[in-house]
Amino acid sequence: MASTVFERSAPDARIITDSLADARLAPFWLDDLGRREAYPRHSGTVHYDLAVVGGGYTGLWTALQAVERDPGTRVIVLEAKTVGWAASGRNGGFCEASLTHGESNGLARFPRELPQLDRLGAENLDEIQATVARLGLDCDFERTGSLAVATERYQLAELGAAHDGDGELYYDAAGIRSLVNSPTYEGGLWSRHATALVHPAKLAAELARACVEAGVDIRENSPVRGIDSELPTGAVTLATDGGFVSAERVALATNAFPSLLKRYRLHTVPVYDYVLMTEPLTDAQLASIGWEGRQGIADLANQFHYYRLSADNRILWGGYDAIYHYGGRIRARYDDRPQSFQRLASHFFTTFPQLQGVKFSHRWAGVIDTSTRFCAFFGLARRGRVAYAAGFTGLGVGASRFAANVMLDHLSGEPTERTELEMVRSTPLPFPPEPATYAGVQATKWALDRADHNGGRRNLLLKTLDAAGLGFDS
């Protein structure tokens, strides 16, 4: 089997060891917040018009837009730990227009309505940018666009076919290296308008601030243990460690964590994604790369990397490994996986050999809510009183706002353009119970790795999963 560029041009092991020696096991974004606003625990028994479970992007966008739609609405957000602690404070900060995890996935799953989904996704990203400006959200928002880069020649055809001379610009090897200087690049595509970059933890913190200023109550360290709605109509009751919350409507925004609705617990699996952050680059180091457009970057392998510059010119470098633990377990000890960090560091210095000597300041992991169709799904339960959205599969920074609007549309009981979408009305196939999920994930990962080492050619297992609309991705 053929090798990839990351094996053909691997750096010396000592470079990897030295670069990771002082890396702190903590998400850089959360560290970089400094002092954060703390919100009280929930206690007692209270009633609200809307209760939102989850204090990440999906929950915060839901709460904020609920009071913007109707300023008199009484809203509470219940967060099990702290605002933005999970995926919303650990991701790469790629705020994408795509609602379907990219054009090819959207075309495969929703071909008839893809133009509509593309339009709604572009409008959603424009509205995020407008909200950031209108509310003064201090989150390092940059509308940079993104680069998709080929690191093997077989990947070039896909990029060349997407060139349209306007929003999608194709570059050959020399052209893409003039934008970002890496010897691994064989070509690239600049999607000029469809991506913004944000500071993930700042965005969560600022959304929480905007919520509170609009009248929303936020309660941290208040995990919801149960949901009760025995009566056909009336309030839904949420049980927390400190008491109860009853609400006319409930929005569930727990994503990778087990749903309060048992029937949907197999519709997502938690997949661990690993990330490194460098120390700030010097002017000379940055000049050796170029990257004047500050685009977000991802390569085209099945096991892909994503990377970007921070506001202070660090490089975030993540992806490649996607680790599923038997039974869908989420544990703090899984955050530290030395073999993943070492592999990431090796691939970093293959991509940017001119940066040998740069140190990583932070290393961390986050859990992605992966669904079998690679994009979010939506629904209603408890006779229309409980809405849910989950399954973003790693592209939820922008799509979470769209999902919040879908949940609010559903809870209003009135059909909208969003609720009539096939993407919103359909539900992906669930993952099978254990041990089948674990075995299936491991077999799929093996097959994806083989494809990356075999010119992208997909074996019978992957072709069968493609035909069935099933998959595993981060």
Side-chain angles (χ1 to χ4, degrees):
M1 219 170 19
S3 61
T4 71
V5 67
F6 300 106
E7 293 148 354
R8 295 192 300 270
S9 303
D12 187 282
R14 290 170 295 183
I15 295 170
I16 298 167
T17 300
D18 290 347
S19 72
L20 292 168
D22 299 319
R24 170 173 158 76
L25 182 62
F28 166 78
W29 305 119
L30 294 172
D31 260 8
D32 194 51
L33 272 182
R35 181 184 176 277
R36 58 170 296 277
E37 188 68 36
Y39 300 98
R41 297 174 185 265
H42 171 66
S43 63
T45 300
V46 292
H47 182 81
Y48 285 83
D49 298 313
L50 173 66
V52 179
V53 182
Y57 296 145
T58 307
L60 294 169
W61 278 121
T62 302
L64 180 61
Q65 292 181 124
V67 294
E68 289 187 337
R69 290 185 181 200
D70 181 357
T73 304
R74 297 188 66 241
V75 181
I76 187 171
V77 174
L78 296 166
E79 164 55 39
K81 293 198 175 182
T82 56
V83 163
W85 165 83
S88 296
R90 296 166 182 258
N91 64 83
F94 287 65
C95 189
E96 304 271 0
S98 177
L99 304 175
T100 60
H101 207 284
E103 193 79 4
S104 59
N105 190 56
L107 187 62
R109 300 179 188 280
F110 314 108
R112 289 180 297 177
E113 65 184 26
L114 185 59
Q116 184 182 13
L117 288 167
D118 285 346
R119 173 179 58 80
L120 289 170
E123 291 173 356
N124 181 63
L125 182 55
D126 288 343
E127 288 161 1
I128 291 173
Q129 183 171 1
T131 302
V132 167
R134 174 171 56 86
L135 298 180
L137 305 183
D138 178 14
C139 61
D140 299 344
F141 187 96
E142 299 180 84
R143 192 77 176 260
T144 61
S146 61
L147 298 177
V149 295
T151 57
E152 304 291 342
R153 295 196 62 81
Y154 73 83
Q155 299 165 352
L156 291 173
E158 177 183 348
L159 297 181
H163 174 81
D164 65 11
D166 180 21
E168 307 288 333
L169 303 179
Y170 176 74
Y171 295 83
D172 63 12
I176 195 67
R177 293 178 191 185
S178 72
L179 296 181
V180 182
N181 184 19
S182 170
T184 66
Y185 295 170
E186 301 288 346
L189 186 78
W190 183 8
S191 299
R192 296 172 58 212
H193 309 301
T195 304
L197 298 178
V198 299
H199 185 302
K202 284 185 179 179
L203 177 59
E206 287 289 274
L207 285 173
R209 176 184 63 80
C211 282
V212 170
E213 290 177 356
V216 174
D217 290 332
I218 296 178
R219 299 291 180 263
E220 292 183 323
N221 300 299
S222 301
V224 176
R225 305 296 188 184
I227 183 169
D228 183 16
S229 56
E230 293 181 1
L231 297 176
T233 61
V236 177
T237 300
L238 302 172
T240 76
D241 292 345
F244 299 90
V245 174
S246 66
E248 301 302 314
R249 297 165 294 155
V250 172
L252 300 180
T254 53
N255 297 321
F257 294 91
S259 174
L260 290 169
L261 303 172
K262 292 182 181 179
R263 57 185 151 161
Y264 294 110
R265 288 185 182 171
L266 293 178
H267 282 71
T268 62
V269 294
V271 175
Y272 274 81
D273 183 49
Y274 292 85
V275 189
L276 296 171
M277 184 70 96
T278 72
E279 61 192 1
L281 301 188
T282 65
D283 290 344
Q285 288 167 338
L286 190 57
S288 73
I289 305 173
W291 212 345
E292 294 179 3
R294 299 181 57 83
Q295 303 93 335
I297 304 177
D299 61 46
L300 291 183
N302 291 299
Q303 300 173 110
F304 64 93
H305 310 85
Y306 58 88
Y307 41 113
R308 46 96 34 118
L309 291 167
S310 66
D312 61 348
N313 291 328
R314 300 169 184 263
I315 297 178
L316 175 139
W317 182 266
Y320 197 83
D321 279 350
I323 305 300
Y324 172 74
H325 294 277
Y326 187 89
R329 299 186 184 100
I330 300 173
R331 301 285 189 272
R333 67 177 183 272
Y334 298 155
D335 287 2
D336 194 7
R337 192 169 191 269
Q339 59 267 51
S340 289
F341 296 129
Q342 290 162 9
R343 184 176 292 116
L344 282 172
S346 175
H347 294 180
F348 175 88
F349 290 113
T350 294
T351 303
F352 297 125
Q354 63 271 50
L355 295 183
Q356 290 185 14
V358 166
K359 307 291 187 183
F360 294 104
S361 63
H362 291 74
R363 69 191 200 279
W364 72 92
V367 180
I368 293 169
D369 58 329
T370 297
S371 70
T372 56
R373 73 181 191 188
F374 305 158
C375 59
F377 61 90
F378 314 87
L380 275 170
R382 309 299 169 95
R383 296 180 180 265
R385 291 171 288 165
V386 177
Y388 58 86
F392 296 96
T393 318
L395 278 187
V397 179
S400 56
R401 181 184 179 277
F402 178 84
N405 270 316
V406 171
M407 288 197 289
L408 293 173
D409 290 348
H410 273 154
L411 291 171
S412 75
E414 296 294 328
T416 67
E417 181 184 12
R418 285 180 288 257
T419 61
E420 296 303 300
L421 291 166
E422 178 189 351
M423 178 188 176
V424 170
R425 291 184 289 106
S426 62
T427 304
L429 291 170
F431 290 91
E434 295 291 16
T437 288
Y438 185 80
V441 166
Q442 302 312 310
T444 303
K445 286 181 59 181
W446 172 82
L448 291 170
D449 183 70
R450 284 186 65 88
D452 285 342
H453 288 81
N454 192 29
R457 288 181 285 275
R458 299 170 79 80
N459 65 11
L460 181 60
L461 171 60
L462 294 180
K463 290 177 180 177
T464 302
L465 292 174
D466 291 342
L470 293 168
F472 170 78
D473 192 31
S474 66

